Amino acid sequence: TQLLEQSPQFLSIQEGENLTVYCNSSSVFSSLQWYRQEPGEGPVLLVTVVTGGEVKKLKRLTFQFGDARKDSSLHITAAQPGDTGLYLCAGESFGNEKLTFGTGTRLTIIP
Amino acid sequence: KAGVTQTPRYLIKTRGQQVTLSCSPISGHRSVSWYQQTPGQGLQFLFEYFSETQRNKGNFPGRFSGRQFSNSRSEMNVSTLELGDSALYLCASSFGGTGDTEAFFGQGTRLTVV
């Protein structure tokens, strides 16, 4: 069974601070996706990384895929209250179209 | 284009009853996956349908079943409801091919079993 562990599980920081969320596995993935879910809504896709070592930026969010394709990180610069939500990573396995979702990080940005 | 539509949004059922949830995927998407989300267990994978066939299955009891129609719409059924089945049920659609699994989620159906 493939598992994606996210850390931290909960994170509460002040507006303007920086933070990093991690997504780790012992399995190799062909690609990794990041989602954000707000209360009462379904998760929304933020980004997909497909190449080992790849870095993608989305405004203040920076996503990195590990060289070995087993882990990923999400770094947020100058966090804002609108960043509040549940962040989920999801990995696609080689030769299997099933997505494996991570355990999630619940982020709260305090104004 | 229209997003993923789940109906109903909210549902209250009694223990022992059964329930059917519906999901209409984005036009052109052939894969529909179902998830159960609870505060304690996170997002748990139920099953995935692709071109009317169940392609992947999670570790849920046989009380949870699903199907997909020729227009890619999907239904999920839970029989003999238990209190622990109270959860947000999410469906997600994608093109479903290798390397094409980016999921688009509906708003979910909030099921409460009393």
Side-chain angles (χ1 to χ4, degrees), chain A residues 33 35 37 40-43 45 48 86 92 96-99 101, chain B residues 9 35 37 43 45 55-56 96 98-99 101-103 105-107:
Chain A
Q33 302 162 17
Y35 295 79
Q37 183 179 19
E41 302 292 328
L45 179 68
T48 301
L86 176 67
E92 178 185 347
N96 183 341
E97 296 79 10
K98 176 178 168 244
L99 277 183
F101 275 86
Chain B
R9 285 292 311 275
Y35 298 86
Q37 188 174 40
L43 200 65
F45 173 74
R55 185 164 68 172
N56 286 294
T98 299
T101 59
E102 292 176 342
F105 284 83
Q107 290 184 296

Side-chain angles (χ1 to χ4, degrees), chain B residues 23-92:
Chain B
C23 174
S24 293
I26 289 173
S27 177
H29 284 186
R30 295 165 66 188
S31 168
V32 173
S33 296
W34 288 89
Y35 298 86
Q36 181 194 67
Q37 188 174 40
T38 59
Q41 296 296 319
L43 200 65
Q44 301 287 307
F45 173 74
L46 282 153
F47 30 66
E48 182 220 0
Y49 285 86
F50 181 82
S51 293
E52 301 181 66
T53 300
Q54 188 180 87
R55 185 164 68 172
N56 286 294
K57 188 176 186 307
N59 298 319
F60 276 79
R63 300 185 296 108
F64 293 82
S65 63
R67 60 177 174 169
Q68 187 180 34
F69 302 95
S70 58
N71 62 357
S72 293
R73 190 178 72 85
S74 177
E75 288 182 347
M76 189 192 90
N77 186 75
V78 187
S79 62
T80 319
L81 284 165
E82 300 177 0
L83 294 179
D85 296 332
S86 294
L88 180 67
Y89 289 88
L90 292 161
C91 87

Side-chain angles (χ1 to χ4, degrees), chain A residues 12-23:
Chain A
S12 182
I13 63 171
Q14 295 286 337
E15 181 178 358
E17 294 184 352
N18 303 330
L19 66 107
T20 302
V21 173
Y22 299 93
C23 172

Side-chain angles (χ1 to χ4, degrees), chain A residues 49-70:
Chain A
V49 284
V50 297
T51 307
E54 181 178 2
V55 176
K56 274 192 175 177
K57 293 194 174 185
L58 188 67
K59 297 183 180 177
R60 295 175 293 100
L61 278 61
T62 301
F63 304 84
Q64 183 163 10
F65 200 11
D67 291 341
R69 297 171 173 265
K70 293 183 179 181

Side-chain angles (χ1 to χ4, degrees), chain A residues 25-29 51-53 65-71 94:
Chain A
S25 176
S26 58
S27 302
V28 177
F29 293 99
T51 307
F65 200 11
D67 291 341
R69 297 171 173 265
K70 293 183 179 181
D71 55 84
F94 286 99

